Amino acid sequence: MKIAGVRIERRSIDLDPPFFAAWDPEPRRSFEATLVHVETDEGLTGIGSGDTMDGFERYEHLFVGEDPLAIDRHVAVLETISFHAGRYWPLEAALWDLAGKAAGKSVAELLGGQLTRIRAYASTGEQRSPEERAESALLLRDEGFRALKVRIDRTKLDDGLAAVAAVRAAVGDGV
């Protein structure tokens, strides 16, 4: 099996209303994502997502025609490229996805994992008042989440700490 090509697909959706990320002073009015498809001569495709992959076209030839399962080789090439240009780590994610598909296993299994399930946590993004954050934490707990990431605005540390305290008071030690 050989890599036939690397296809990069950029997607964007408008956010209405805008997303006011706690860590970003400007509201986000759109969400962009880059999908990386590593296609093989045998019809198998691995998919990864992440950074924009801008400028990758200059380096695609370093991967086309190579064995997609030679991940150590590809990581070494990506590390060399990152020294001189961008970080194209979504390609590695796509290669791992392809390796898992080729082996009929999850990537976790390929890496030695033995769990069939992992617990998910809820991650908040917008700064909210302590009361609103506590209310949302209760709803998330009732949906089954047992862990919660509360993001805060670093320029409003007191407000953020008050929201964390309100969440802890609302959900107790079970979350």
Side-chain angles (χ1 to χ4, degrees):
M1 179 168 43
K2 301 289 182 197
I3 296 173
V6 178
R7 184 168 46 91
I8 298 170
E9 183 181 338
R10 292 182 177 85
R11 301 259 178 123
S12 178
I13 59 170
D14 292 331
L15 299 176
D16 185 20
F19 176 64
F20 292 87
W23 60 91
D24 194 342
E26 294 295 319
R28 296 180 182 203
R29 301 188 185 290
S30 64
F31 177 78
E32 290 80 28
T34 300
L35 300 175
V36 178
H37 304 259
V38 176
E39 299 168 335
T40 69
D41 60 352
E42 295 183 10
L44 203 55
T45 300
I47 302 172
S49 180
D51 291 347
T52 65
M53 300 286 290
D54 288 342
F56 176 76
E57 298 79 18
R58 296 177 299 192
Y59 305 104
E60 182 179 6
H61 71 278
L62 299 172
F63 300 92
V64 171
E66 298 292 332
D67 176 356
L69 304 180
I71 293 182
D72 288 343
R73 180 245 181 230
H74 301 310
V75 168
V77 172
L78 287 168
E79 288 174 351
T80 300
I81 293 170
S82 73
F83 181 78
H84 299 285
R87 292 182 58 237
Y88 301 123
W89 60 268
L91 177 64
E92 183 182 351
L95 289 163
W96 278 109
D97 180 55
L98 196 150
K101 288 175 178 174
K105 296 181 177 185
S106 71
V107 174
E109 289 175 285
L110 289 179
L111 298 174
Q114 298 179 13
L115 297 177
T116 58
R117 297 175 56 143
I118 60 171
R119 290 184 177 172
Y121 68 90
S123 180
T124 66
E126 292 186 323
Q127 184 76 30
R128 301 258 173 99
S129 72
E131 297 78 18
E132 292 172 314
R133 183 55 62 215
E135 184 178 327
S136 73
L138 288 169
L139 291 172
L140 290 165
R141 181 199 64 192
D142 292 347
E143 288 179 17
F145 289 100
R146 295 294 170 250
L148 176 65
K149 180 191 290 185
V150 178
R151 295 187 188 235
I152 63 174
D153 182 340
R154 65 177 169 233
T155 66
K156 300 176 183 172
L157 191 56
D158 289 341
D159 293 342
L161 293 175
V164 171
V167 166
R168 174 56 62 213
V171 300
D173 292 335
V175 174

Short mmCIF file of all heavy atoms in Angstrom, two decimals, residues 10-38:
data_model
loop_
_atom_site.label_atom_id
_atom_site.label_comp_id
_atom_site.label_asym_id
_atom_site.label_seq_id
_atom_site.Cartn_x
_atom_site.Cartn_y
_atom_site.Cartn_z
N ARG A 10 -10.74 22.60 3.60
CA ARG A 10 -11.00 23.63 4.61
C ARG A 10 -12.49 23.90 4.67
O ARG A 10 -13.13 24.09 3.64
CB ARG A 10 -10.22 24.88 4.29
CG ARG A 10 -8.73 24.66 4.46
CD ARG A 10 -7.92 25.92 4.19
NE ARG A 10 -6.51 25.67 4.43
CZ ARG A 10 -5.66 25.14 3.55
NH1 ARG A 10 -6.10 24.82 2.36
NH2 ARG A 10 -4.40 24.94 3.85
N ARG A 11 -13.01 23.93 5.89
CA ARG A 11 -14.43 24.18 6.10
C ARG A 11 -14.59 25.36 7.04
O ARG A 11 -13.74 25.61 7.90
CB ARG A 11 -15.10 22.96 6.72
CG ARG A 11 -15.01 21.70 5.91
CD ARG A 11 -16.30 21.48 5.18
NE ARG A 11 -16.25 20.30 4.35
CZ ARG A 11 -17.09 19.30 4.46
NH1 ARG A 11 -18.01 19.31 5.39
NH2 ARG A 11 -17.01 18.29 3.63
N SER A 12 -15.70 26.05 6.92
CA SER A 12 -15.99 27.17 7.81
C SER A 12 -17.51 27.27 7.97
O SER A 12 -18.25 27.09 7.01
CB SER A 12 -15.46 28.48 7.21
OG SER A 12 -15.78 29.57 8.05
N ILE A 13 -17.94 27.51 9.20
CA ILE A 13 -19.35 27.77 9.46
C ILE A 13 -19.46 29.08 10.21
O ILE A 13 -18.60 29.42 11.04
CB ILE A 13 -20.03 26.62 10.24
CG1 ILE A 13 -19.36 26.40 11.60
CG2 ILE A 13 -20.07 25.34 9.45
CD1 ILE A 13 -20.12 25.45 12.51
N ASP A 14 -20.49 29.82 9.89
CA ASP A 14 -20.75 31.07 10.60
C ASP A 14 -21.34 30.76 11.97
O ASP A 14 -22.11 29.80 12.11
CB ASP A 14 -21.72 31.96 9.81
CG ASP A 14 -21.10 32.48 8.53
OD1 ASP A 14 -19.86 32.65 8.49
OD2 ASP A 14 -21.86 32.71 7.57
N LEU A 15 -20.98 31.54 12.95
CA LEU A 15 -21.51 31.39 14.30
C LEU A 15 -22.46 32.55 14.57
O LEU A 15 -22.05 33.70 14.63
CB LEU A 15 -20.37 31.38 15.33
CG LEU A 15 -19.35 30.27 15.19
CD1 LEU A 15 -18.24 30.44 16.23
CD2 LEU A 15 -20.02 28.91 15.35
N ASP A 16 -23.73 32.22 14.69
CA ASP A 16 -24.73 33.24 14.96
C ASP A 16 -25.66 32.72 16.04
O ASP A 16 -26.45 31.80 15.77
CB ASP A 16 -25.52 33.55 13.68
CG ASP A 16 -26.51 34.68 13.87
OD1 ASP A 16 -26.33 35.47 14.83
OD2 ASP A 16 -27.46 34.78 13.07
N PRO A 17 -25.52 33.16 17.26
CA PRO A 17 -24.73 34.32 17.67
C PRO A 17 -23.25 33.99 17.76
O PRO A 17 -22.84 32.83 17.79
CB PRO A 17 -25.30 34.63 19.07
CG PRO A 17 -25.77 33.31 19.57
CD PRO A 17 -26.27 32.56 18.36
N PRO A 18 -22.42 35.04 17.82
CA PRO A 18 -20.97 34.82 17.95
C PRO A 18 -20.63 34.09 19.25
O PRO A 18 -21.39 34.12 20.22
CB PRO A 18 -20.39 36.23 17.96
CG PRO A 18 -21.45 37.11 17.42
CD PRO A 18 -22.76 36.46 17.74
N PHE A 19 -19.48 33.43 19.25
CA PHE A 19 -18.98 32.72 20.43
C PHE A 19 -17.97 33.63 21.13
O PHE A 19 -16.98 34.05 20.54
CB PHE A 19 -18.31 31.42 19.98
CG PHE A 19 -17.68 30.65 21.10
CD1 PHE A 19 -18.44 30.12 22.14
CD2 PHE A 19 -16.31 30.44 21.12
CE1 PHE A 19 -17.85 29.40 23.16
CE2 PHE A 19 -15.71 29.72 22.14
CZ PHE A 19 -16.49 29.20 23.16
N PHE A 20 -18.23 33.95 22.38
CA PHE A 20 -17.36 34.81 23.17
C PHE A 20 -16.44 33.95 24.02
O PHE A 20 -16.73 33.69 25.19
CB PHE A 20 -18.19 35.76 24.04
CG PHE A 20 -18.96 36.78 23.24
CD1 PHE A 20 -20.22 36.48 22.73
CD2 PHE A 20 -18.41 38.02 22.97
CE1 PHE A 20 -20.92 37.40 21.98
CE2 PHE A 20 -19.11 38.95 22.23
CZ PHE A 20 -20.37 38.65 21.72
N ALA A 21 -15.35 33.49 23.44
CA ALA A 21 -14.41 32.61 24.14
C ALA A 21 -13.78 33.36 25.30
O ALA A 21 -13.33 34.50 25.15
CB ALA A 21 -13.34 32.12 23.17
N ALA A 22 -13.73 32.71 26.45
CA ALA A 22 -13.18 33.34 27.66
C ALA A 22 -11.72 33.75 27.48
O ALA A 22 -11.25 34.68 28.11
CB ALA A 22 -13.31 32.38 28.85
N TRP A 23 -10.98 33.08 26.62
CA TRP A 23 -9.56 33.33 26.44
C TRP A 23 -9.26 34.27 25.27
O TRP A 23 -8.11 34.55 24.98
CB TRP A 23 -8.83 32.02 26.24
CG TRP A 23 -9.31 31.26 25.03
CD1 TRP A 23 -8.81 31.35 23.77
CD2 TRP A 23 -10.40 30.35 24.99
NE1 TRP A 23 -9.53 30.53 22.92
CE2 TRP A 23 -10.51 29.90 23.65
CE3 TRP A 23 -11.29 29.85 25.93
CZ2 TRP A 23 -11.48 28.99 23.25
CZ3 TRP A 23 -12.25 28.94 25.52
CH2 TRP A 23 -12.33 28.52 24.21
N ASP A 24 -10.29 34.76 24.57
CA ASP A 24 -10.09 35.54 23.36
C ASP A 24 -10.82 36.88 23.49
O ASP A 24 -12.03 36.89 23.72
CB ASP A 24 -10.62 34.74 22.17
CG ASP A 24 -10.16 35.29 20.85
OD1 ASP A 24 -9.72 36.45 20.78
OD2 ASP A 24 -10.26 34.55 19.85
N PRO A 25 -10.14 38.00 23.31
CA PRO A 25 -10.80 39.29 23.48
C PRO A 25 -11.80 39.61 22.35
O PRO A 25 -12.67 40.45 22.53
CB PRO A 25 -9.65 40.30 23.47
CG PRO A 25 -8.54 39.62 22.76
CD PRO A 25 -8.70 38.15 23.04
N GLU A 26 -11.68 38.96 21.21
CA GLU A 26 -12.59 39.20 20.09
C GLU A 26 -13.59 38.05 19.97
O GLU A 26 -13.19 36.89 19.97
CB GLU A 26 -11.79 39.30 18.78
CG GLU A 26 -10.87 40.50 18.72
CD GLU A 26 -11.62 41.81 18.71
OE1 GLU A 26 -12.67 41.90 18.03
OE2 GLU A 26 -11.18 42.74 19.40
N PRO A 27 -14.87 38.37 19.83
CA PRO A 27 -15.85 37.29 19.64
C PRO A 27 -15.59 36.55 18.33
O PRO A 27 -15.20 37.16 17.33
CB PRO A 27 -17.19 38.01 19.63
CG PRO A 27 -16.89 39.43 19.40
CD PRO A 27 -15.48 39.68 19.83
N ARG A 28 -15.79 35.27 18.35
CA ARG A 28 -15.59 34.46 17.15
C ARG A 28 -16.89 34.41 16.36
O ARG A 28 -17.92 33.99 16.88
CB ARG A 28 -15.13 33.07 17.53
CG ARG A 28 -13.78 33.16 18.21
CD ARG A 28 -13.25 31.84 18.62
NE ARG A 28 -11.98 32.05 19.31
CZ ARG A 28 -11.07 31.12 19.41
NH1 ARG A 28 -11.28 29.93 18.90
NH2 ARG A 28 -9.95 31.38 20.05
N ARG A 29 -16.82 34.83 15.12
CA ARG A 29 -18.01 34.90 14.28
C ARG A 29 -18.09 33.73 13.30
O ARG A 29 -19.07 33.57 12.60
CB ARG A 29 -18.05 36.24 13.55
CG ARG A 29 -18.06 37.38 14.55
CD ARG A 29 -18.28 38.73 13.95
NE ARG A 29 -18.15 39.78 14.95
CZ ARG A 29 -18.98 40.02 15.93
NH1 ARG A 29 -20.03 39.26 16.09
NH2 ARG A 29 -18.78 41.00 16.77
N SER A 30 -17.01 32.93 13.27
CA SER A 30 -17.01 31.73 12.43
C SER A 30 -16.11 30.69 13.08
O SER A 30 -15.29 31.02 13.95
CB SER A 30 -16.53 32.04 11.01
OG SER A 30 -15.18 32.46 11.04
N PHE A 31 -16.29 29.45 12.65
CA PHE A 31 -15.46 28.36 13.13
C PHE A 31 -14.86 27.69 11.91
O PHE A 31 -15.60 27.26 11.01
CB PHE A 31 -16.27 27.36 13.95
CG PHE A 31 -15.46 26.17 14.40
CD1 PHE A 31 -14.59 26.28 15.47
CD2 PHE A 31 -15.54 24.96 13.74
CE1 PHE A 31 -13.82 25.21 15.88
CE2 PHE A 31 -14.77 23.87 14.14
CZ PHE A 31 -13.91 24.01 15.21
N GLU A 32 -13.54 27.64 11.86
CA GLU A 32 -12.84 27.03 10.74
C GLU A 32 -12.26 25.69 11.17
O GLU A 32 -11.80 25.54 12.29
CB GLU A 32 -11.71 27.93 10.23
CG GLU A 32 -12.19 29.19 9.53
CD GLU A 32 -12.59 30.29 10.47
OE1 GLU A 32 -12.05 30.35 11.60
OE2 GLU A 32 -13.47 31.09 10.11
N ALA A 33 -12.25 24.76 10.25
CA ALA A 33 -11.64 23.45 10.50
C ALA A 33 -10.96 23.00 9.22
O ALA A 33 -11.43 23.29 8.11
CB ALA A 33 -12.67 22.42 10.94
N THR A 34 -9.85 22.30 9.38
CA THR A 34 -9.14 21.72 8.25
C THR A 34 -9.19 20.21 8.39
O THR A 34 -8.87 19.68 9.44
CB THR A 34 -7.67 22.20 8.23
OG1 THR A 34 -7.65 23.62 8.11
CG2 THR A 34 -6.91 21.59 7.07
N LEU A 35 -9.62 19.55 7.33
CA LEU A 35 -9.64 18.09 7.28
C LEU A 35 -8.51 17.64 6.37
O LEU A 35 -8.33 18.18 5.28
CB LEU A 35 -10.97 17.58 6.74
CG LEU A 35 -12.21 17.97 7.54
CD1 LEU A 35 -13.47 17.51 6.84
CD2 LEU A 35 -12.14 17.38 8.93
N VAL A 36 -7.76 16.66 6.82
CA VAL A 36 -6.65 16.11 6.04
C VAL A 36 -7.00 14.67 5.71
O VAL A 36 -7.28 13.86 6.60
CB VAL A 36 -5.33 16.16 6.84
CG1 VAL A 36 -4.20 15.54 6.05
CG2 VAL A 36 -5.00 17.60 7.22
N HIS A 37 -7.00 14.35 4.41
CA HIS A 37 -7.32 13.00 3.93
C HIS A 37 -6.05 12.42 3.33
O HIS A 37 -5.53 12.94 2.35
CB HIS A 37 -8.40 13.05 2.85
CG HIS A 37 -9.66 13.73 3.27
ND1 HIS A 37 -10.79 13.03 3.65
CD2 HIS A 37 -9.98 15.04 3.39
CE1 HIS A 37 -11.74 13.89 3.97
NE2 HIS A 37 -11.28 15.11 3.82
N VAL A 38 -5.53 11.34 3.93
CA VAL A 38 -4.41 10.61 3.35
C VAL A 38 -5.01 9.46 2.56
O VAL A 38 -5.59 8.55 3.14
CB VAL A 38 -3.43 10.10 4.42
CG1 VAL A 38 -2.33 9.27 3.78
CG2 VAL A 38 -2.82 11.27 5.20
#
